[in-house]
Amino acid sequence: YDRFMGAMSTVRYPFNKFLYAQGDLYAGSLRRILPDNVRDYMAARSELGHWVRQNEGEKFQLQPGLSVGYNSILYHPETGPISGSSALLQGSLEYRAHRENQSVISRLDLEHYIPIYAPTKLFFRGGLGTSSDGRAARNFYLLSSYTLRPVPEGDIEYLLGRTFLFSTVEFQF
């Protein structure tokens, strides 16, 4: 696991009621933590010492990001989204000074809701994302309740990776 400690700054500029651009900057330190089961596994294979030498202590990290979004979704206070569309295009660069390494992260999320009658609606959701293959590359973790409903939460074979592509069509009532 990575534990980030530092500051995040966000600036958002609305072009109109629906369209915006946003810039983010994360600056701080990163500490890498091994779960107990992984630590035991690495110790049994004599790999723990090497990992500790490479990852011990706090490490400086900088991550600027830029997003462009569109959101015209209309919400009902009791049933949630009922009509409209949204799109989010996001990119960021992650730099880890201690390894002189960087990775690029990009993603696109789309949603569209079609009202049918009262709380009944049809909606489409899709997304794709990728992170570069550098040593600092981040993995995406998808929530199964939001993306792949039949997959149990926590199933990292389907929900964790450096790239993702999903689409969902649902009829809700």
Side-chain angles (χ1 to χ4, degrees):
Y1 298 104
D2 290 345
R3 179 178 291 158
F4 177 80
M5 294 166 280
M8 181 189 97
S9 176
T10 299
V11 175
R12 182 179 275 195
Y13 179 79
F15 294 108
N16 59 38
K17 186 160 98 168
F18 305 113
L19 186 64
Y20 65 90
Q22 178 174 308
D24 301 308
L25 179 63
Y26 297 82
S29 65
L30 182 75
R31 175 181 289 268
R32 306 208 66 199
I33 299 167
L34 278 178
D36 290 339
N37 62 335
V38 176
R39 181 177 291 279
D40 295 343
Y41 175 79
M42 290 179 77
R45 296 177 50 135
S46 302
E47 297 173 353
L48 185 58
H50 177 70
W51 187 91
V52 169
R53 282 190 299 280
Q54 275 194 323
N55 296 289
E56 65 186 343
E58 304 286 333
K59 310 294 186 193
F60 175 73
Q61 181 170 322
L62 184 67
Q63 184 174 345
L66 181 63
S67 304
V68 176
Y70 172 83
N71 191 343
S72 67
I73 295 178
L74 179 64
Y75 290 86
H76 186 278
E78 295 176 6
T79 62
I82 55 175
S83 69
S85 301
S86 75
L88 176 66
L89 177 62
Q90 185 177 41
S92 64
L93 173 70
E94 187 174 272
Y95 176 71
R96 295 183 181 179
H98 66 285
R99 291 193 177 174
E100 297 180 359
N101 194 328
Q102 71 240 357
S103 66
V104 177
I105 303 165
S106 56
R107 61 181 273 184
L108 174 66
D109 293 312
L110 304 167
E111 289 184 72
H112 183 67
Y113 293 84
I114 301 170
I116 296 174
Y117 179 75
T120 307
K121 62 189 169 241
L122 179 67
F123 82 89
F124 304 88
R125 180 181 290 146
L128 60 99
T130 187
S131 62
S132 67
D133 290 332
R135 288 181 303 172
R138 288 276 179 194
N139 283 322
F140 293 98
Y141 181 77
L142 303 177
L143 295 174
S144 62
S145 60
Y146 182 77
T147 57
L148 303 168
R149 292 190 194 269
V151 176
E153 196 64 51
D155 186 342
I156 62 172
E157 184 176 339
Y158 288 101
L159 301 174
L160 182 69
R162 289 194 175 162
T163 60
F164 72 88
L165 172 64
F166 74 90
S167 64
T168 303
V169 178
E170 291 188 22
F171 178 71
Q172 294 183 338
F173 53 93

